[in-house]
Amino acid sequence: GAVVSQHPSWVICKSGTSVKIECRSLDFQATTMFWYRQFPKQSLMLMATSNEGSKATYEQGVEKDKFLINHASLTLSTLTVTSAHPEDSSFYICSAEPGQDVSNYGYTFGSGTRLTVV
Amino acid sequence: GENVEQHPSTLSVQEGDSAVIKCTYSDSASNYFPWYKQELGKRPQLIIDIRSNVGEKKDQRIAVTLNKTAKHFSLHITETQPEDSAVYFCAASLGTSYGKLTFGQGTILTVHP
């Protein structure tokens, strides 16, 4: 259980364009999803908490207008990187929180999306 | 907010030896401490976790200990194998949202055959 799918696995885009990344919980309903960013050879940093049916909560220093998060259903959250620039190139990873007893789940991460902005 | 410090940043051991990675956290309210293994280009994979009401947990060659008073927790890998080579991250979370994690800086573990 607790399978999280993320698409695409990698994407290359031109500067100034927007990229949408999807995070899906396949076998459970996720009331809350999390978006992390990982620069090369660095740790994971939480960007935002995505709550189904309400606005996302962004961590300090993360631009909400640049990283648009939508969590319209209990199984899907999307992260859109708007007007991407080379410094946005990173590994973006989501995770999902089951709305039930968490002791049976390991907070599986999605497979990640490698974004390269050229 | 929470701050997690992880040491060492790199660790090199011979196959069969034990490896220990240590983390400290700052927020005494943190109550969930997972450890992740990440191979190059792949997602982090949970290898073991511990909650604040437990002092130690073991799963085959892997064990985690937690000292709430000192606010530190450690990962112990025994009988290391070359396939244990990877980057290991500790993390901490607090409150009811176990998925909102603050990660340590990571440890590059290399196990030499």
Side-chain angles (χ1 to χ4, degrees), chain B residues 47-48 56-64 75-79 81 84:
Chain B
I47 56 173
I48 197 167
E56 184 175 358
K57 183 177 180 181
K58 187 175 182 179
D59 183 4
Q60 299 182 344
R61 297 187 296 110
I62 296 173
V64 57
L75 176 71
H76 303 255
I77 305 174
T78 58
E79 301 173 25
Q81 302 165 2
D84 293 330

Side-chain angles (χ1 to χ4, degrees), chain A residues 16-98:
Chain A
T17 62
S18 296
V19 174
K20 180 184 285 188
I21 302 170
E22 294 187 346
C23 180
R24 294 180 184 272
S25 55
L26 298 185
D27 53 359
F28 66 99
Q29 293 183 328
T31 55
T32 305
M33 292 185 175
F34 303 92
W35 287 97
Y36 292 83
R37 178 168 55 184
Q38 185 178 31
F39 291 110
K41 298 184 179 181
Q42 294 188 25
S43 187
L44 287 81
M45 295 292 291
L46 179 66
M47 297 176 65
T49 302
S50 172
N51 301 297
E52 187 270 334
S54 64
K55 291 183 178 181
T57 303
Y58 291 83
E59 296 300 302
Q60 191 172 8
V62 178
E63 302 174 55
K64 60 180 66 176
D65 294 331
K66 180 171 183 61
F67 299 99
L68 302 179
I69 292 173
N70 183 279
H71 194 155
S73 78
L74 287 172
T75 59
L76 174 64
S77 175
T78 61
L79 168 67
T80 301
V81 183
T82 64
S83 186
H85 292 284
E87 56 264 32
D88 298 324
S89 298
S90 185
F91 193 48
Y92 292 86
I93 313 175
C94 68
S95 72
E97 178 170 324

